[in-house]
Each structure stands twice: as structure tokens, then as C-alpha cells.
Amino acid sequence: MRGNGAGSFARCADDAGGWAIVAAMSSRHVLSLLIVAAALGGCSSRSGATRAVPPAPPPPPCVPTHGGDCVLVSEFEAMAEEMAEEYAVHPNFENQWGLAAINADRAYANLRLLEGPDAEPGAGVTIGFIDTGIDAEHPAFAGRTIYQDFLFGAEPETGEEGASHGTAVASVAAGGRTGGESAAHGVAWGADLAMWAIPLGSGGGPYEPITLEELSEFDAGYAHLFRTAFAWRDAGNRLDILNLSFGTDGSIEDYGADALRASASGLIATLAQADAAEKTILVWAAGNYHGDRCAEGVAGCVNGRVNAASASIFSGLVARFEELQGHSVAVAALNPHDGALTFFSNRCGIAADFCIAAPGLDIRFAYFGPHEGEVVRGSGTGGGTSFAAPMVAGGLAIMKQLFRDQLSNEDLVSRLFATADKAGIYADREIYGQGRMDLGAATSPVGVLDVPLGAGLATAASASLGSTGLRLGAAFGDGLAVSFDGDEIMALDDYGAPFWYEMEDFAATTEGPALSARLRSFLGPGSGGLTAGGGSGGMPAAMGTTAGIVRMPTAAGNGHLALVEGAVQVGATEAGGLSATAFTTGRWRPAMPATGAALAWRPASLPVGFRAGWISERETMLGSLGTGAFGGLSAGTAFFGFDGGMDFAGWNLGAAGEFGVVNPAATGGLIQEITPLATSTFALHASRGFARAGSLSFSLSQPLRVENGWAALTAPSARTKQGEVLYRSFRADLAPGERQLDLAAQWNRALPLGELRLGAVWSHWPGHREVLGAQVAALAGWRWSF
């Protein structure tokens, strides 16, 4: 350590105040002992308002949350797991084993962490049903928006005719959190509902596959049913997902594509939705007739029982016709005992690419129907792929909500399949198709999140979100962070799914004045004076006395030269008071490379001196560092300053100030333009010596501050369903909203051995930030030179 080094670090107090002891010896035989006390907001030695601090390396990849934290992936996982537990212990969740099986609790936690606590699962999404109808008076649907239409002679259910299949199915997808001890909530309890009621049979009896002739006879009716639902959508209503928990006997593998198209051309064309701006996702129950009784000679009948090796005819149409692929899903049913396929569920078979498995046995649902001679509204338990399908429909609704309807429905289906659990038994595609639905994985970022910097997903340059940040120099205070308030940045995962984060979370602001700079000033040579940084910064101390290469003393000042603290300089002087220096950080500070030169003129005949200089920062801007999507920053700063002093009534009075013009540049990131910046710093001080009472000094100063200037940014804000990235351009004011002012006092008293020093600093708006409040630091030290 060169020169008059004292302690270089002290433990800062927390909000309640505290103290620390620092001792150090310099190469000039100076022993210093320091006691530091800090209160009223504490102190900060991590980042300084009075000195340039080399930026830390980019942080490891993190996930910004809606609450404002950017946490490590492992921390995010832990937070999500803890939050998921809150959902998992809700009685309505515990009553539905299938919710845990599809990791719905984790999906709820992801939604809350990324979108906030007010986001109800499925809100803003409409799930449609073609079924027997829905009892809108059931408590499971209290306060919900429900559209209902009756077709083919169907009438509103009274409950007397039997249990309402449609009510039960709808509740599994989107039943509310009633709080009832025996009730279960749906997967997406915030979704809206639409029902097209039709008469449905109860099933049962031996397996009798539908014939092509029968299919042709019913083709027009089936096509009309779906056209009715799609016409409602095309009239301006949302119909994002259509749950289809009905079907007819017949396995898709037993029907050829040509024969099906000849017999069901109207239905196939309608399901294809060729003219739709956005195709509704069709979620089909895969069928329940595996193991049913059958007559010998019937296709798929083995020893009098059906081997349902593939999805049913309707749910399996997607395997035969390309125009149905991408928006059609067949759903097989899992049991709660070992998670395997239920004994009755059709296998995925030839529809494996378009099929997924979800819970479908011992499912809790909303019951509307007769019980012990009266009609009741309560809860029931049952099984069937009819209940597995709405599990998937509800999950897709949450996905659509989380991604703000910016993924196309085909992209949602692809993501559903890609994130499904394919481990263990679920690797058997013939049975489980794409695997077990994992809603937690489907709503979590997959792979590395990247911030796009170009127009198209396939061609856009990008930067890792985890390495993206803007570490602001102290001169900017909270200006940029405040300007970012309310703005978002979009990042994309490996599958192109968007996730949004608050931009202000990526701007790291200075917390207040650096205590270490004050310590160096406090224990500096001579009677000194404790300022908020030891003056406004000027020429290096070596100037005027030496010529050659020297190490620049640590800059305790507030001025522009603090930006090149630790640089190496070569200087020269002349007798008329003119001095010049050139400096570079070189290999001594590779994280913040800078070079520059300065001139100072202080003639002996004048009470005032002047200085001017130029600093070129190659990778920073006034000490600010951009990483990741913020690209690179650089700046050239020209500054002019003065200092002077006079004696008055026994006091030595002085003033110093600097003004600068910064020409910044930004490359390769979100910042498109930065205007020239104006900067300032000043210090006023007064000191006086007393014959028997030592010396007393006072100072008022302002650290380096940006006075005006703005940056133009273009940030990714959304993506279209076609994969185009949309950007929002805005202007951010770089000047801080507050101004740091530091009032300091110091008393020095010579002792028989060494010198006693007492001091205090009060900082108003430290770091040029309002949120920190005032800070006070009290210091006591002893200095001995030998």
C-alpha cells in the first residue's frame, strides 16, 4: 500500500447502527487505530457514491420474480416448492389427487411468482364443453361467467333425470375453490365456461364399433354441432379450448383414412377449422372400452374382451388426418394407485404423437342429480377418460394465461407434449403417447432464458437473461431505475415461450456513500478535514513534485478523476504552476479500463486554480457497466474544475467544483441512443486551528451527479403467435431524482504520542436516491507517525 494508508475496510452497521475497529500500518510508518460507529440508515462499503468500484462479474443465471427479486434458479425452485405447498394443503386441492399428479400446485406457484398473487389460474381464458349441460347454480360455479346453448332437443337439466355428466366434467376443468370439506376445485378455477348441451347416452352394454354407414348418417349432425360452437367463437367470443368427453365405440386403428374421409367428410372439415384465425384446441377423451365385453369376430375383440390398443375413432381422427394435427389432443386415463393407465382406458396406440395421459380414476367432481329421493348439489367421485380430458383442458387454460395468449394454440399443444413426463413407465409411447401431463414443467422456463434482440424467433440475436444487468455508477443515482418503473422485458425459453420481468430489477443502483473513502480521508496526513470524500477531486497528489511513472493515490474525492482510481500516471510540472498528467488503468484494473489526461494551473499569485481533463472509458460509462442484453457501454468525458481558498477571521475557507460533459456510446443491446450528459460536483470547506485545542473543520459537498441526459431503449415486450418479436421503444431519464449532500465535521487533537481524531458525516439522499433516507456515520481514530 502506497502513501498514508489507513484501514481500507470497516464492517458497516445495519439499520439499527453499529460499530467496527480498524487498525493498519502504512509504508511510511504510520500506525492508525479507528473506531467507526454508524446509525440512522447505516453505511455501505459495497458500492460508493464517492469512488469508482470495479464491477463484479456477471451473476450466475437468475430468474426475476414478479415480487422484484432476481434469484438463482435453485432459489426460484425452492421458492416455488414452498409456495406450491401452500396450494397443496388447501382442502379442495387435497380432495383431488389428480391435481398433485399433474403438478398443478407447482403451476399455481409459477403463475403467482411470475404474474403476481392476484392471478387466478385460467383467468381470461374460456373453456368450452360439448356435453349434457351444466348446472350454473352449483356452488362450484358461483360467480362464474357461463354461456350455455342447447342443441338436438337437449333441455336444461333438472337433476331428476340422473347425475349431470356435463356439470361433473366442467368442475374438473374449472370448478371453484368452495372450501367445502368434501369438494375439490378444478385445475383452472378462474376460467370462464361455455357449454353446448346435447343428449348423451350412458354407455354400457357390449362393445359395438360404429359402422361407416352409421358414421355417414350422423356426419351432418356432428358437423353442425361443431359449426355451432365455432360460429359463437367467430362472432367475437373467446373459445380457446373445447373439451369433448364423449365418443362412440370404435378404435381409430380399425378405420382407414380414405373410408373415414368418405363417411365423415363434413365432420373432418369442420374440425380442421381451416378458415379460423386461431384454431380452438380440441381435447378428446380417448375412450373407456378397454376390457369391455365383445362378440367374437368384432375388430379388436380378443377372447371376448376388447383390446383397445389405440384411441377411439373421434379422438384418434388426428392420427389419420394432417389437417387436425397441432390442435387436437387425445387423453388417456391414469389411476391413483401406481400412476399407471387405468384398466378401462384406451391406449394411445397409433395416435401416440397426439395423445397424453392424465388422472382419470377416483376423480372428485361437482355432483348434480338425485340422491336418496331428492335432487342435491354436492360432490361425487368417479372415473373415465371423461375426467382425464378436462384435467388437460384446464392445464392448457393456465398455460394460455401464463403466456398472455402470445403462444398460438398449436404452440401450446406442442409445449404440453414436450414437457410431459416421459420417464419410467411413461416412456412406453404405445400406451402413454407423449407421457404423463406435467403442468408444473409446462409453466416453467425450459432451458436458458434469452432476451431477443432481433425480429424473428429463428433469426434473432439474443442475450442470456441471467447475465443481463445494468450496474449503475454512483453519479446516476436512482434516475434510470425510476424511469424503468412499470416497464417489462420479455425473455424466451428454449421452446420460444415468453416470460416477462420488471426492467427495474435489472438496474443495480448504488446504496450510498462508501465508508472506505471516508476512512482514507479521515486518517489522511496532516490536520486534514473529513469531507464526504475529501474534496471534489483534483490532480493526483504527485503532480507538482515528480515526473515519471507513479501509482495514482486512491481517489477519495468526489470528482471525475475518481472514475480512474488506481490508474498509473506520468506527470510533469513547470515553475509557473502548470502541471500535466496522463494516466491509464492498464492491467491494474482490467474490469474498468480507462485512459486520459489532465491539466492544472495554479499560479502562486492567485487564490484560485483551474483544471481540465479528458477521460476515456472503454467498457463503462461514468462507472456504469452493461452486461447481457444491455450490451456494451463506453464514454468520453471532458471536465473543467476550479478550486480556491482564503483566510478570514482565523478560518481557512475553500471551495472547489467540477463540471463535465459526457459523450456516451451504447452498442449491441437494448440501449439505442444516449444523449450527451452533464455532470457536476462541488465542495465547500472551512477549517481552523486552535493553540491548545487542536483543529476543527467543516465541509459541505455533493458527489459526482448526472444533471441531465436521457437514453432511448428498445426492449422486447411481446411475441406474435407467428413468432415475430415485438418491441417497445421508450425514453429513460438518466438524471437522479434527488441530490446527495454531505455535511461533515472533524476535530483533530495532538497527543504526546500520535493524534486523536473525531468526526461525523451526515448524508442527505445518499447515492442520490430517495429510498435510502439520511445516513450518519461517526468516527474516532488515533494516528501515530514514526
Side-chain angles (χ1 to χ4, degrees):
M1 178 159 34
R2 174 179 171 80
N4 301 288
S8 60
F9 177 81
R11 180 178 62 84
C12 287
D14 57 19
D15 290 343
W19 60 271
I21 297 177
V22 179
M25 180 177 289
S26 77
S27 60
R28 292 184 176 177
H29 307 294
V30 177
L31 178 64
S32 302
L33 180 66
L34 177 66
I35 300 176
V36 182
L40 299 181
C43 57
S44 171
S45 61
R46 291 178 291 169
S47 52
T50 56
R51 58 185 293 253
V53 180
C62 64
V63 181
T65 69
H66 187 273
D69 300 315
C70 192
V71 299
L72 298 177
V73 173
S74 59
E75 294 179 66
F76 183 88
E77 292 291 324
M79 292 171 63
E81 289 297 328
E82 181 178 354
M83 197 168 292
E85 183 62 25
E86 297 178 21
Y87 290 100
V89 298
H90 191 283
N92 292 164
F93 186 99
E94 292 179 326
N95 290 337
Q96 186 68 285
W97 74 271
L99 294 173
I102 63 172
N103 289 327
D105 49 341
R106 176 57 188 268
Y108 302 151
N110 288 342
L111 185 66
R112 180 173 166 185
L113 281 170
L114 299 175
E115 294 297 317
D118 297 330
E120 281 200 333
V125 179
T126 299
I127 306 174
F129 303 85
I130 295 179
D131 216 295
T132 63
I134 186 170
D135 175 34
E137 302 299 320
H138 197 286
F141 307 111
R144 309 296 290 284
T145 299
I146 300 175
Y147 170 83
Q148 192 158 198
D149 192 9
F150 299 91
L151 303 173
F152 302 143
E155 296 181 352
E157 294 176 296
T158 64
E160 296 177 352
E161 63 275 16
S164 171
H165 186 267
T167 298
V169 167
S171 71
V172 174
R177 302 175 92 189
T178 66
E181 292 184 1
S182 62
H185 66 67
V187 177
W189 69 78
D192 295 326
L193 305 172
M195 174 66 73
W196 285 269
I198 61 173
L200 288 178
S202 60
Y207 172 72
E208 295 182 6
I210 190 171
T211 65
L212 292 174
E213 292 75 15
E214 291 172 324
L215 190 60
S216 178
E217 179 183 349
F218 297 133
D219 180 50
Y222 287 137
H224 173 74
L225 172 60
F226 284 95
R227 279 198 299 268
T228 301
F230 296 152
W232 182 78
R233 173 200 65 194
D234 296 340
N237 301 293
R238 291 198 67 131
L239 182 57
D240 304 295
I241 302 147
L242 188 58
N243 188 90
L244 304 163
S245 292
F246 68 91
T248 185
D249 287 353
S251 176
I252 188 62
E253 66 182 358
D254 299 325
Y255 302 84
D258 292 341
L260 285 170
R261 192 177 294 279
S263 301
S265 58
L267 173 62
I268 294 168
T270 305
L271 295 179
Q273 307 173 64
D275 297 329
E278 174 78 305
K279 296 179 181 180
T280 296
I281 300 174
L282 307 176
V283 181
W284 292 90
N288 301 323
Y289 45 79
H290 183 75
D292 279 3
R293 291 180 293 107
C294 56
E296 293 299 331
V298 172
C301 187
V302 179
N303 298 325
R305 296 289 178 178
V306 178
N307 177 28
S310 287
S312 65
I313 182 172
F314 287 162
S315 64
L317 286 173
V318 62
R320 295 297 192 196
F321 301 104
E322 186 176 351
E323 61 266 40
L324 303 183
Q325 296 170 6
H327 64 279
S328 300
V329 182
V331 187
L334 303 175
N335 75 73
H337 309 298
D338 57 7
L341 208 68
T342 60
F343 63 90
F344 54 76
S345 176
N346 284 38
R347 279 60 178 149
C348 291
I350 66 170
D353 287 345
F354 318 101
C355 184
I356 198 168
L361 181 63
D362 292 343
I363 299 300
R364 201 74 169 163
F365 53 73
Y367 179 84
F368 175 56
H371 178 67
E372 297 182 352
E374 60 180 349
V375 174
V376 299
R377 293 182 172 95
S379 299
T381 302
T385 55
S386 284
F387 301 127
M391 287 274 181
V392 173
L396 286 165
I398 292 177
M399 293 169 62
K400 195 169 187 70
Q401 172 195 17
L402 180 69
F403 301 125
R404 301 184 185 178
D405 199 18
Q406 292 182 17
L407 288 183
S408 70
N409 284 347
E410 292 188 353
D411 285 340
L412 288 176
V413 171
S414 295
R415 186 178 183 87
L416 175 76
F417 290 157
T419 57
D421 181 6
K422 298 174 174 60
I425 62 173
Y426 305 120
D428 190 338
R429 286 175 48 82
E430 293 299 314
I431 296 177
Y432 300 98
Q434 295 285 355
R436 176 185 60 85
M437 176 187 180
D438 188 342
L439 189 55
T443 55
S444 298
V446 176
V448 177
L449 284 166
D450 288 321
V451 179
L453 301 175
L457 297 184
T459 59
S462 63
S464 168
L465 180 75
S467 65
T468 293
L470 191 59
R471 302 180 185 277
L472 297 172
F476 291 94
D478 61 0
L480 192 59
V482 170
S483 296
F484 281 170
D485 186 25
D487 289 307
E488 290 184 323
I489 185 171
M490 180 190 71
L492 303 173
D493 74 355
D494 285 358
Y495 292 152
F499 295 83
W500 292 266
Y501 305 104
E502 300 290 336
M503 283 196 69
E504 63 179 315
D505 298 340
F506 295 88
T509 54
T510 300
E511 294 187 357
L515 183 62
S516 55
R518 291 173 176 166
L519 302 187
R520 290 191 297 274
S521 176
F522 181 67
L523 290 176
S527 60
L530 176 67
T531 70
S536 66
M539 299 297 288
M543 291 300 298
T545 59
T546 62
I549 299 177
V550 299
R551 181 68 184 239
M552 183 182 292
T554 300
N558 295 330
H560 293 80
L561 286 179
L563 297 170
V564 291
E565 175 187 347
V568 171
Q569 67 161 1
V570 57
T573 64
E574 59 90 25
L578 181 66
S579 59
T581 184
F583 46 82
T584 181
T585 56
R587 63 182 179 85
W588 291 273
R589 206 183 67 184
M592 300 176 69
T595 57
L599 291 173
W601 181 55
R602 184 66 182 268
S605 60
L606 295 178
V608 63
F610 302 94
R611 57 182 176 273
W614 171 264
I615 300 172
S616 175
E617 298 175 84
R618 297 190 294 277
E619 296 182 13
T620 53
M621 176 185 67
L622 293 179
S624 300
L625 176 68
T627 58
F630 283 102
L633 296 175
S634 59
T637 301
F639 63 90
F640 170 81
F642 70 91
D643 63 86
M646 60 178 292
D647 293 327
F648 178 77
W651 288 85
N652 178 262
L653 306 179
E658 282 183 2
F659 306 93
V661 176
V662 184
N663 288 298
T667 57
L670 306 178
I671 303 175
Q672 305 300 307
E673 176 190 3
I674 306 177
T675 64
L677 310 176
T679 56
S680 73
T681 179
F682 72 85
L684 306 173
H685 59 84
S687 61
R688 178 172 182 171
F690 300 93
R692 297 184 178 181
S695 63
L696 182 64
S697 62
F698 299 96
S699 69
L700 175 67
S701 62
Q702 174 215 290
L704 187 65
R705 181 181 187 271
V706 173
E707 297 297 335
N708 59 60
W710 50 266
L713 294 94
T714 300
S717 59
R719 55 153 287 175
T720 67
K721 294 177 180 179
Q722 292 72 39
E724 180 184 0
V725 178
L726 303 180
Y727 291 84
R728 175 181 177 269
S729 297
F730 62 97
R731 198 174 86 171
D733 190 358
L734 299 180
E738 304 297 341
R739 184 180 302 274
Q740 177 179 339
L741 294 175
D742 299 329
L743 180 63
Q746 182 171 334
W747 177 68
N748 297 350
R749 176 66 183 270
L751 299 175
L753 183 64
E755 184 180 54
L756 174 67
R757 299 186 176 187
L758 302 176
V761 181
W762 176 78
S763 295
H764 184 61
W765 306 130
H768 305 304
R769 296 173 61 197
E770 179 180 3
V771 296
L772 294 180
Q775 292 183 353
V776 176
L779 303 96
W782 170 71
R783 177 186 172 89
W784 176 36
S785 300
F786 59 96

